[in-house]
Amino acid sequence: MGLMGCVAFMLLLFCTTSTAHYLSYKFYDKKCPNALPTIRASIRRAVSREQRMAASLIRLHFHDCFVQGCDASILLEDSASIKGEQKAIQNMGSVRGFNVIEDAKSNVEKICPGVVSCADILAVAARDASVAVGGPSWRVKLGRRDSTKASLAKAQRDLPLFTDSAETLIDRFSKKGLNARDMVALSGSHTIGKAQCSTFRGRIYNTTAEIDANFARTRRHRCPAQRNNGDSNLAPLDLVTPNSFDNSYFKNLIQKKGLLESDQVLFSGRSRTTQNIVIEYSKMASTFKSDFAKAMVKMGDISPLIGSAGQIRRICRAVNKH
């Protein structure tokens, strides 16, 4: 190999490995040793006040990473220079937990000003939220920096929709470096949390849908057939154990009791791959939890800002003013 070939090879090697090597489990060990316990305390308080917050924080991290990577762009509010992601159809009125992240950031800023990114706080909060409701734990790689921009267009393009087919979901996740198994495992976070009537009305009133008749009937009680009537009324995604991180979600899908269309297609759609994974997870809770933790780590690796890119925001809802 000639000199130019060696240079090109070394540049390629650096580009494909530097991000993975930069993120570190020990990133704040010396810079801010009490960062993780401080974040954990904030998340525990928030979840103890409202169990649903655990699902909201996991979803917030997910909706951040799928747009521009895990860079806390979802936390940015609209401004003169930013058209944020919070008003995307997949986020508006449903993504929440911003105040919890802001509170955790404020507490960390008191002990280590300008050191810990909002993007890292989001990643840690998702892990701590999972643990708070009996879900798995995992080691969170750290060292992400915060974006100075957001993208409404990318949010509307890249985030999953509650009407997506299994094939569409597989494709969306594949574009982010996540496979079908990762997708089904991450969908399992719907074992906790709630959905708004507007997202499942079409399913529970569709007589041709793959849905248990009694389940549909019970869901209609707080979700009227008329649009704009009770749209924001909530129903648990897992009617059996709505506040426990377990594998009931997958058992529900086999019984045609998935609340969202994008849930039920994992078992009832045309993908034999996702159907087999659902069956496996319904029988083996430990496998589901282990795979969920692995998938969360992979998701946290999506295009982080590192080195001197971006900034460490002082508050999570706005970029720093120089």
Side-chain angles (χ1 to χ4, degrees):
M1 184 183 295
L3 178 61
M4 292 303 294
C6 289
V7 171
F9 175 77
M10 291 304 293
L11 284 173
L12 176 63
L13 182 64
F14 176 78
C15 290
T16 55
T17 62
S18 60
T19 298
H21 287 172
Y22 195 89
L23 295 181
S24 166
Y25 298 120
K26 300 180 178 181
F27 192 83
Y28 297 115
D29 281 7
K30 294 182 179 179
K31 297 179 179 182
C32 188
N34 289 320
L36 299 192
T38 301
I39 297 169
R40 186 185 310 120
S42 294
I43 303 310
R44 283 179 175 174
R45 284 194 300 270
V47 175
S48 67
R49 288 194 298 266
E50 182 193 8
Q51 287 281 296
R52 181 188 171 205
M53 187 54 68
S56 297
L57 292 172
I58 292 172
R59 185 168 185 253
L60 190 59
H61 179 43
F62 169 77
H63 278 230
D64 178 47
C65 290
F66 260 55
V67 184
Q68 298 186 167
C70 305
D71 61 358
S73 60
I74 195 172
L75 304 180
L76 288 172
E77 296 178 348
D78 286 357
S79 67
S81 59
I82 292 175
K83 192 172 185 179
E85 299 160 18
Q86 296 178 21
K87 291 183 180 178
I89 188 172
Q90 298 95 321
N91 291 331
M92 190 165 55
S94 63
V95 172
R96 56 198 295 272
F98 303 105
N99 58 324
V100 175
I101 299 300
E102 205 69 73
D103 179 65
K105 173 65 171 175
S106 175
N107 291 331
V108 171
E109 283 293 298
K110 291 174 184 176
I111 58 173
C112 303
V115 174
V116 182
S117 70
C118 298
D120 276 347
I121 291 175
L122 267 176
V124 174
R127 188 269 311 277
D128 292 344
S130 170
V131 173
V133 289
S137 182
W138 56 90
R139 296 181 73 195
V140 179
K141 288 186 277 187
L142 303 164
R144 302 168 191 80
R145 288 170 64 84
D146 299 325
S147 177
T148 57
K149 59 183 181 179
S151 176
L152 175 63
K154 289 180 180 178
Q156 295 183 149
R157 182 194 69 193
D158 293 349
L159 289 170
L161 292 161
F162 61 85
T163 54
D164 280 347
S165 66
E167 292 79 12
T168 298
L169 290 169
I170 290 172
D171 181 62
R172 287 189 189 276
F173 279 69
S174 176
K175 288 176 179 176
K176 303 300 178 182
L178 301 169
N179 59 34
R181 194 172 188 86
D182 299 323
M183 185 269 287
V184 177
L186 291 171
S187 297
S189 64
H190 285 183
T191 189
I192 54 174
K194 298 180 180 181
Q196 296 183 355
C197 167
S198 59
T199 64
F200 59 85
R201 175 185 284 118
R203 176 163 160 72
I204 62 175
Y205 286 99
N206 182 354
T207 57
T208 64
E210 288 279 347
I211 189 169
D212 178 84
N214 289 330
F215 175 75
R217 193 175 302 114
T218 61
R219 295 299 88 206
R220 292 172 189 160
H221 292 164
R222 282 182 47 78
C223 188
Q226 300 80 12
R227 288 186 177 182
N228 302 319
N229 188 2
D231 281 3
S232 61
N233 289 354
L234 298 170
L237 288 157
D238 173 9
L239 189 60
V240 181
T241 53
N243 294 316
S244 298
F245 199 105
D246 55 27
N247 66 336
S248 290
Y249 165 82
F250 300 103
K251 297 176 182 179
N252 294 342
L253 299 186
I254 294 173
Q255 297 170 13
K256 299 183 180 180
K257 295 179 180 179
L259 187 61
L260 303 180
E261 183 178 344
S262 55
D263 289 328
Q264 192 60 51
V265 295
L266 300 183
F267 181 75
S268 302
R270 293 183 295 177
S271 172
R272 185 60 63 85
T273 298
T274 63
Q275 184 182 79
N276 288 338
I277 298 170
V278 168
I279 294 171
E280 180 184 357
Y281 288 163
S282 73
K283 296 176 180 178
M284 303 178 66
S286 60
T287 300
F288 158 54
K289 290 186 175 183
S290 175
D291 284 357
F292 179 81
K294 293 174 185 176
M296 288 295 287
V297 172
K298 284 180 68 175
M299 188 181 75
D301 283 344
I302 299 175
S303 304
L305 295 175
I306 57 173
S308 60
Q311 61 182 207
I312 305 297
R313 291 190 219 136
R314 299 184 187 93
I315 58 173
C316 293
R317 63 180 178 273
V319 298
N320 297 340
K321 294 181 180 180
H322 298 290

